[in-house]
Amino acid sequence: AQSVTQLGSHVSVSEGALVLLRCNYSSSVPPYLFWYVQYPNQGLQLLLKYTTGATLVKGINGFEAEFKKSETSFHLTKPSAHMSDAAEYFCAVSDQGGSEKLVFGKGTKLTVNP
Amino acid sequence: DADVTQTPRNRITKTGKRIMLECSQTKGHDRMYWYRQDPGLGLRLIYYSFDVKDINKGEISDGYSVSRQAQAKFSLSLESAIPNQTALYFCATSDGGLGRTEAFFGQGTRLTVV
């Protein structure tokens, strides 16, 4: 069975500081990995995804994530936080069979302080 | 107009009442999903549908039922609502297996059962 652990339910950074949101996964088969973002009072939208190939994945709004198989991690980063980045972020994992089963982490709420 | 529209956006209902949450999409996708979001628990899959004649249970289907009235419409019903069904409910669509393609989410329905 697959699972996702997001370290830190709340992360607070200053505007302009580095954003680092941690995600570790467990999967017995090669995973597909996703980051979704949920802005206040909205549904989730895809930030980026890793399927195969290049392990450093670039997404929207300046975010990127690196797949590290040896560490079973897929941490999300952004060099410089902006106030508009305040949202809840979800890491998700699925197997490469292309199944319907997408397992979400519990989410990390990012606060950006002026 | 939003690609995935959920109605109502907010609803308060009493224990034991029947309630239906509706979802419609203009993406033209065959696959539709209902998720439940609880604070600190992330998103959990309730039901999903590959097309009008193909409906499948997710991980937490007990106490819920669904109806796929058309390719564009997927409704979630609580036959006899109970307080622990108080949550934020999301409808989503995709153009392929959720494990490998992007999911498009509605803005959510906040349901409170008193």
Side-chain angles (χ1 to χ4, degrees):
Chain A
Q2 295 161 307
S3 65
V4 174
T5 301
Q6 291 184 239
L7 298 176
S9 58
H10 290 84
V11 170
S12 182
V13 300
S14 298
E15 192 172 20
L18 171 71
V19 176
L20 170 60
L21 304 182
R22 299 178 187 273
C23 172
N24 288 90
Y25 70 91
S26 172
S27 178
S28 58
V29 296
Y32 286 170
L33 294 158
F34 303 77
W35 276 99
Y36 279 85
V37 60
Q38 183 181 26
Y39 296 105
N41 299 313
Q42 295 189 27
L44 281 71
Q45 64 181 86
L46 183 67
L47 262 182
L48 50 81
K49 67 178 181 180
Y50 167 79
T51 53
T52 57
T55 56
L56 182 63
V57 181
K58 295 186 184 298
I60 62 172
N61 300 336
F63 284 94
E64 61 182 36
E66 186 171 10
F67 170 58
K68 292 187 177 181
K69 184 179 178 180
S70 61
E71 298 178 9
T72 61
S73 69
F74 192 56
H75 301 331
L76 182 70
T77 61
K78 181 173 180 178
S80 177
H82 191 273
M83 297 295 289
S84 60
D85 295 327
E88 190 158 18
Y89 293 79
F90 293 92
C91 183
V93 64
S94 74
D95 65 73
Q96 287 194 5
S99 72
E100 300 301 322
K101 191 169 177 59
L102 187 61
V103 177
F104 285 90
K106 295 181 179 181
T108 297
K109 190 168 186 178
L110 176 66
T111 300
V112 182
N113 301 306
Chain B
D1 289 339
D3 294 325
V4 183
T5 302
Q6 293 183 233
T7 56
R9 293 292 312 279
N10 291 282
R11 180 74 181 266
I12 300 174
T13 192
K14 293 184 178 181
T15 298
K17 292 292 187 181
R18 183 180 189 276
I19 183 169
M20 178 182 288
L21 310 182
E22 299 187 342
C23 175
S24 62
Q25 53 114 345
T26 58
K27 300 290 290 183
H29 293 163
D30 288 327
R31 289 169 160 82
M32 297 187 73
Y33 308 82
W34 276 104
Y35 279 92
R36 168 178 172 159
Q37 183 182 25
D38 296 277
L41 293 181
L43 278 77
R44 293 179 291 169
L45 183 62
I46 306 172
Y47 270 96
Y48 60 101
S49 170
F50 290 159
D51 64 35
V52 174
K53 297 182 180 179
D54 190 347
I55 292 177
N56 305 276
K57 292 183 177 181
E59 59 182 306
I60 54 163
S61 59
D62 288 348
Y64 301 94
S65 63
V66 291
S67 172
R68 184 83 183 264
Q69 300 94 326
Q71 185 205 36
K73 296 183 181 296
F74 192 37
S75 300
L76 176 72
S77 293
L78 287 69
E79 296 300 327
S80 179
I82 56 176
N84 76 0
Q85 291 177 313
T86 293
L88 185 56
Y89 291 84
F90 285 105
C91 175
T93 73
S94 72
D95 189 23
L98 261 193
R100 55 185 168 84
T101 59
E102 179 177 0
F104 294 86
F105 286 81
Q107 291 184 289
T109 295
R110 187 168 297 280
L111 176 66
T112 303
V113 183
V114 297

XYZ file of all heavy atoms in Angstrom, chain A residues 4 23 29 33 48 54 64 68-69 82 85 114:
93
model
N 1.706 8.649 2.163
C 2.432 9.911 2.065
C 2.499 10.542 3.446
O 1.496 10.599 4.149
C 1.720 10.884 1.105
C 2.393 12.243 1.132
C 1.705 10.334 -0.308
N 7.890 16.177 1.932
C 7.001 15.057 1.610
C 7.843 13.804 1.467
O 8.804 13.775 0.701
C 6.254 15.330 0.311
S 5.282 13.924 -0.308
N 6.047 0.037 -5.503
C 6.292 0.088 -6.943
C 6.718 1.523 -7.286
O 6.524 2.434 -6.485
C 5.027 -0.292 -7.743
C 4.642 -1.734 -7.455
C 3.876 0.644 -7.421
N 4.316 11.092 -8.477
C 4.217 11.997 -7.336
C 3.678 13.351 -7.780
O 4.005 13.836 -8.861
C 5.586 12.171 -6.681
C 6.139 10.906 -6.037
C 7.643 10.979 -5.909
C 5.488 10.671 -4.678
N 2.615 20.648 -9.686
C 3.590 19.936 -10.488
C 3.429 18.438 -10.261
O 2.776 18.022 -9.305
C 5.020 20.381 -10.150
C 5.438 20.420 -8.688
C 5.814 19.035 -8.178
C 6.598 21.375 -8.479
N 13.396 13.189 -15.817
C 14.124 14.154 -14.998
C 13.547 14.202 -13.592
O 12.332 14.318 -13.396
C 14.061 15.540 -15.627
N 9.264 24.174 -7.452
C 9.869 22.996 -8.028
C 9.996 21.926 -6.953
O 9.914 22.212 -5.747
C 11.228 23.295 -8.658
C 12.275 23.811 -7.726
C 13.574 24.121 -8.469
O 13.523 24.582 -9.630
O 14.644 23.908 -7.867
N 13.718 12.081 -5.036
C 14.917 11.403 -4.561
C 14.514 10.009 -4.129
O 13.994 9.797 -3.026
C 15.565 12.169 -3.416
C 16.168 13.503 -3.836
C 16.943 14.146 -2.698
C 17.608 15.438 -3.163
N 18.402 16.076 -2.075
N 14.807 9.061 -4.995
C 14.398 7.677 -4.740
C 15.072 7.126 -3.491
O 14.433 6.441 -2.684
C 14.725 6.813 -5.955
C 14.266 5.376 -5.841
C 14.602 4.603 -7.098
C 14.188 3.153 -6.978
N 14.518 2.383 -8.209
N 6.243 34.531 -1.681
C 5.419 35.718 -1.931
C 4.154 35.582 -1.107
O 3.710 34.468 -0.798
C 5.080 35.791 -3.429
C 4.476 37.081 -3.845
N 3.126 37.333 -3.775
C 5.035 38.213 -4.333
C 2.877 38.551 -4.197
N 4.012 39.102 -4.539
N 1.557 33.097 -1.989
C 1.807 31.657 -1.838
C 1.106 31.062 -0.618
O 1.109 29.842 -0.438
C 3.320 31.395 -1.719
C 4.066 31.750 -2.993
O 3.492 31.594 -4.087
O 5.228 32.197 -2.880
N 4.653 39.211 6.311
C 5.252 40.375 5.621
C 6.562 40.804 6.274
O 6.838 40.489 7.423
C 4.178 41.452 5.771
C 3.330 41.020 6.894
C 3.387 39.530 6.967
